[in-house]
């Protein structure tokens, strides 16, 4: 694969109730990304956005973001999934040879709509919806129970992941302020409100308002814009069955397939040795363990024994991951931005030492039905 | 003046549309003909699943398409009324009189003879604390079956032979 460079990025500070409108939030994000490398709107040749009609409360929601999203008289189109999928389509456009600079943005405002209620509308209308018992939270509960039971993992081990991520979020200045908990303990996590047994409130990535934007350019163009772009060297994408009952919830086959595809493309043979840091989009704490196992960092069921702290053997989510604020449609892009920060050494306070190669993931659907994985590398060429 | 006359002209046919539309009012079409054997069986208080001839996966609830083989499974196989709990969680409902939030178990049942699980509810009288993975359950039918999935009232727990053996060995 030809290389595509990420030349600029910007992220709006997440908040539970952002003090601006959607239009303004998107403008700030897109303008911020262009300003981060001193480019103008006329340099952008293509735009891909990630929003959702249900989250926006209007059909064809990208028609109102044309001006704020920098898409006026450009070939803009929308992905109604996580931002990571918008990055994937932006990557394809950059690789097509027709575009010099692709702008990708995604974001939403859960303070304006009931997030968990909106997930009811993604359930199966024949088998699940008439019962009114399944939404994203109960699906997470089923998944955590299946994982705990299959591998005899105690709830304390999963709470430990939440503790690590909330502590990391406290070091990250671009995390959701409510998620920063430097003094959190496993007891606090286990004793917080139960969302859907055994998932508790602090094991759940809280939906928040935010938007994020990155700029992609093909190799030669990227080197003209800056000396040290971060390169996308591998990408993988896979999805599982829609109906929850058809899946083995204790593992993630789609992440395993996505990782195989991305690692083969990037020439990674031993993930554990060759990946320096991982930024994974986990909706619930237990998903981080399931993903770590699917990525080949350890054998199935051995996730809790991994050393994933910032100074550990394989640091996972030094920024806090999904726990540091989950902005629907933007979290995948934010994970990419955090991985870029680790490579360029901009992650002040939560920097992992000597990062050459990082991975970032995005997910969509109940219990991470689809997964997207990017392999990012530093170095001028 | 000519224009005004044109606007005032009475139209014979106009179109009306409601100013509001509720998201959940969407309708979904479903191939009931291909599903008829399943619904008829439910009416007779029997369970059947669909078996894919290519990969031998038996799905319950039946799926119109096998995603693995991209085929239309067409072999109906009989299933038992019993199954085991593959995984579970809880829904919390507020008691309107006392204001207490009660936990109701939500379970994924692997029906004996099927390869996939069905997300459903357990007998509301069963305490959430007593549910465990691997618990044997049995269907409780409604008295008057109508030939749809609501005919399954809930799943009830039955005696667990493995638990009894445990107590005997102790």
């Amino acid at each position: 694969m030809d290389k595509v460079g990420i030349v600029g990025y910007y992220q709006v500070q997440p908040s539970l109730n952002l003090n601006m409108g959607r239009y303004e939030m998107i403008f700030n994000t897109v303008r911020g990304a262009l300003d981060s490398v001193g480019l103008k709107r006329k340099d952008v040749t293509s735009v891909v956005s990630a929003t959702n009609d249900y989250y926006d409360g209007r059909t064809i929601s990208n028609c109102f973001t044309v001006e704020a999203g920098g898409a006026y008289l450009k070939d803009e189109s929308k992905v109604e999934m996580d931002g990571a999928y918008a990055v994937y389509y932006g990557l394809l456009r950059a690789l097509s040879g027709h575009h010099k600079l692709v702008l990708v943005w995604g974001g939403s405002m859960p303070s304006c709509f009931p997030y968990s209620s909106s997930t009811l509308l993604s359930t199966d209308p024949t088998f699940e919806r008439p019962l009114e018992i399944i939404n994203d939270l109960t699906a997470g509960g089923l998944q955590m129970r299946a994982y705990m039971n299959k591998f005899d993992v105690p709830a304390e081990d999963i709470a430990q992941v939440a503790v690590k991520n909330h502590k990391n979020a406290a070091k990250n200045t671009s995390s959701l302020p409510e998620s920063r908990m430097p003094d959190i303990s496993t007891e606090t996590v286990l004793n917080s409100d139960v969302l859907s047994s055994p998932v508790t409130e602090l094991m759940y990535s809280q939906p928040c308002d935010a938007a994020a934007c990155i700029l992609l350019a093909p190799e030669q163009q990227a080197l003209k814009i800056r000396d040290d772009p971060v390169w996308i060297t591998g990408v993988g994408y896979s999805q599982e069955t829609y109906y929850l009952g058809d899946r083995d919830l204790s593992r993630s086959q789609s992440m395993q397939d996505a990782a195989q595809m991305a690692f083969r493309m990037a020439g990674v043979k031993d993930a554990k040795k060759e990946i320096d840091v991982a930024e994974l989009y986990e909706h619930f704490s237990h998903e981080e363990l399931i993903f770590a196992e699917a990525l080949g960092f350890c054998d199935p069921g051995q996730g809790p024994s991994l050393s994933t702290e910032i100074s550990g053997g394989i640091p996972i989510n030094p920024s806090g991951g999904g726990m540091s604020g989950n902005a629907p449609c933007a979290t995948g892009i934010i994970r990419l931005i955090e991985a870029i920060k680790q490579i360029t050494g901009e992650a002040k306070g939560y920097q992992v030492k000597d990062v050459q190669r990082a991975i970032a993931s995005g997910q969509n659907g109940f219990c991470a039905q689809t997964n997207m994985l990017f392999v990012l590398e530093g170095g001028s060429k | 003046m000519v224009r005004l006359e044109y606007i005032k002209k009475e139209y014979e046919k106009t179109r009306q549309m409601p100013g509001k539309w509720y998201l959940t009012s969407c309708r979904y079409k479903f191939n009931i003909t291909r599903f008829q054997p399943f619904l008829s069986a439910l009416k007779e208080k029997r369970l059947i699943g669909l078996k894919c001839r290519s990969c031998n996966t038996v799905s319950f609830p039946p799926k119109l398409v096998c995603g693995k083989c991209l085929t239309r499974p067409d072999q109906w196989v009989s299933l038992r009324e019993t199954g085991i709990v593959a995984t579970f969680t809880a829904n919390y409902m507020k008691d309107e009189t006392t204001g207490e939030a009660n936990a109701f178990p939500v379970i994924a049942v692997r029906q004996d003879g099927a390869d996939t699980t069905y997300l459903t509810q357990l007998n509301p009288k069963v305490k959430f604390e007593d549910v465990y993975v691997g618990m044997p359950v049995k269907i409780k039918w409604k008295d008057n079956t109508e030939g749809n999935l609501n005919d399954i009232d809930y799943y009830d727990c039955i005696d667990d032979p493995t638990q009894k053996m445990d107590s005997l060995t102790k």
Side-chain angles (χ1 to χ4, degrees):
Chain A
M1 186 176 92
D2 287 347
K3 284 202 278 192
V4 168
I6 300 171
V7 292
Y9 62 83
Y10 189 80
Q11 177 203 340
V12 166
Q13 176 74 37
S15 164
L16 286 184
N17 194 0
L18 204 63
N19 192 19
M20 56 173 107
R22 267 182 57 77
Y23 204 70
E24 212 178 350
M25 175 179 79
I26 292 161
F27 170 77
N28 285 354
T29 317
V30 170
R31 191 69 252 175
L34 288 172
D35 288 346
S36 72
V37 273
L39 291 172
K40 290 178 180 152
R41 198 192 76 87
K42 68 174 183 190
D43 301 320
V44 176
T45 58
S46 185
V47 178
V48 188
S49 60
T51 55
N52 189 307
D53 291 357
Y54 283 100
Y55 299 171
D56 266 14
R58 83 185 85 197
T59 51
I60 323 172
S61 58
N62 56 332
C63 62
F64 107 108
T65 59
V66 167
E67 295 91 340
Y72 173 62
L73 292 184
K74 309 268 183 208
D75 62 341
E76 189 259 2
S77 61
K78 182 185 77 169
V79 175
E80 197 143 332
M81 292 173 94
D82 181 44
Y85 300 84
V87 176
Y88 177 63
Y89 294 123
L91 177 75
L92 297 184
R93 286 188 186 180
L95 284 172
S96 73
H98 293 288
H99 296 289
K100 287 181 175 173
L101 188 67
V102 184
L103 189 150
V104 182
W105 67 263
S108 63
M109 281 198 156
S111 61
C112 300
F113 65 92
Y115 178 72
S116 282
S117 307
S118 71
T119 60
L120 282 173
L121 292 165
S122 45
T123 52
D124 187 309
T126 322
F127 300 117
E128 287 171 351
R129 216 180 289 179
L131 296 168
E132 296 175 340
I133 52 172
I134 299 292
N135 64 5
D136 66 327
L137 299 174
T138 36
L142 291 169
Q143 187 187 26
M144 180 167 166
R145 179 86 59 191
Y147 177 73
M148 282 165 62
N149 190 71
K150 177 94 174 264
F151 302 113
D152 271 336
V153 175
E156 285 77 14
D157 283 357
I158 290 162
Q160 193 55 45
V161 177
V163 167
K164 179 209 71 176
N165 284 348
H166 280 294
K167 279 187 178 170
N168 287 349
K171 297 169 190 157
N172 178 2
T173 48
S174 53
S175 65
L176 178 70
E178 284 79 0
S179 73
R180 298 174 196 162
M181 299 177 189
D183 306 319
I184 191 175
S185 67
T186 46
E187 286 76 37
T188 332
V189 175
L190 291 171
N191 294 332
S192 58
D193 288 349
V194 178
L195 287 183
S196 177
S197 171
V199 172
T200 62
E201 200 179 358
L202 290 173
M203 296 179 189
Y204 174 58
S205 58
Q206 206 169 6
C208 62
D209 301 354
C213 176
I214 64 168
L215 298 168
L216 300 170
E219 189 168 358
Q220 288 189 337
Q221 195 67 23
L223 289 170
K224 279 182 196 166
I225 295 168
R226 62 190 299 164
D227 299 330
D228 57 343
V230 170
W231 304 105
I232 298 179
T233 53
V235 61
Y237 175 19
S238 180
Q239 50 190 331
E240 283 180 73
T241 57
Y242 167 58
Y243 186 63
L244 282 176
D246 296 353
R247 255 188 270 167
D248 180 2
L249 294 175
S250 61
R251 56 197 288 271
S252 177
Q253 184 65 40
S254 63
M255 182 52 114
Q256 200 176 322
D257 292 355
Q260 255 179 16
M261 201 194 284
F263 290 161
R264 192 170 56 227
M265 204 179 277
V268 175
K269 290 195 175 68
D270 187 351
K272 200 177 177 184
K273 282 181 190 157
E274 295 176 52
I275 303 296
D276 300 320
V277 63
E279 274 291 339
L280 307 177
Y281 172 9
E282 90 286 22
H283 217 81
F284 300 92
S285 290
H286 57 265
E287 281 180 359
E288 186 179 305
L289 301 174
I290 295 175
F291 290 161
E293 291 160 16
L295 287 164
F297 292 158
C298 60
D299 290 331
Q302 300 299 312
S305 62
L306 275 175
S307 154
T308 57
E309 292 84 21
I310 293 174
S311 56
I314 172 78
I316 299 180
N317 288 335
S319 69
M323 291 295 139
S324 66
N326 170 24
C329 299
T331 312
I333 302 180
I334 295 174
R335 298 279 69 76
L336 265 171
I337 291 176
E338 294 296 347
I340 296 164
K341 282 185 186 169
Q342 292 292 346
I343 291 172
T344 55
E346 293 166 67
K348 293 189 180 69
Y350 56 103
Q351 179 69 46
V352 177
K353 275 182 192 167
D354 305 326
V355 177
Q356 274 301 311
R357 197 184 259 146
I359 54 172
S361 85
Q363 63 149 297
N364 216 62
F366 282 0
C367 299
Q369 185 195 356
T370 74
N371 278 293
M372 168 79 77
L373 190 77
F374 290 98
V375 182
L376 305 175
E377 280 175 51
S380 60
K381 196 143 192 202
Chain B
M1 294 308 283
V2 181
R3 271 188 185 171
L4 268 179
E5 278 169 20
Y6 173 74
I7 292 167
K8 279 181 178 175
K9 192 178 90 180
E10 277 191 16
Y11 291 94
E12 285 178 0
K13 196 179 173 187
T14 57
R15 185 176 290 185
Q16 288 185 358
M17 57 193 81
K20 277 183 182 172
W21 172 61
Y22 294 99
L23 287 175
T24 46
S25 67
C26 227
R27 292 181 299 167
Y28 302 87
K29 289 188 180 176
F30 193 78
N31 189 341
I32 211 87
T33 319
R34 269 178 56 71
F35 237 51
Q36 203 52 53
F38 176 61
L39 302 176
S40 311
L42 283 176
K43 195 163 186 184
E44 294 164 19
K45 300 191 181 181
R46 281 192 301 118
L47 281 187
I48 50 175
L50 256 183
K51 185 176 180 182
C52 173
R53 286 177 196 268
S54 177
C55 64
N56 285 339
T57 304
V58 178
S59 60
F60 178 82
K63 292 288 140 58
L64 292 173
V65 169
C66 172
K68 211 190 273 178
C69 315
L70 197 64
T71 52
R72 281 181 170 221
D74 56 355
Q75 195 179 359
W76 293 99
V77 292
S78 299
L79 304 174
R80 293 187 185 188
E81 287 193 339
T82 51
I84 60 154
V85 173
T87 177
F88 66 97
T89 181
N91 258 2
Y92 302 89
M93 311 224 183
K94 214 173 199 177
D95 194 320
E96 283 183 6
T97 48
T98 59
E100 267 179 60
N102 296 318
F104 290 98
V106 174
I107 54 171
V109 177
R110 180 167 287 113
Q111 206 74 34
D112 289 338
D115 296 309
T116 64
T117 58
Y118 173 50
L119 305 177
T120 182
Q121 275 164 312
L122 204 56
N123 184 351
K125 282 176 189 163
V126 177
K127 275 188 189 164
F128 174 70
E129 292 77 27
D130 300 336
V131 189
Y132 56 92
V133 174
M135 185 170 88
V137 285
K138 190 180 180 184
I139 277 193
K140 165 79 173 64
W141 295 99
K142 273 190 182 155
D143 293 337
N144 300 318
T145 51
E146 292 168 352
N148 58 42
L149 265 175
N150 291 337
D151 291 343
I152 302 171
D153 205 359
Y154 50 74
Y155 277 77
D156 216 342
C157 44
I158 51 175
D159 287 344
D160 189 343
T162 57
Q163 295 260 321
K164 265 187 189 162
M165 274 183 205
D166 284 351
S167 61
L168 283 176
T169 47
K170 271 171 200 167

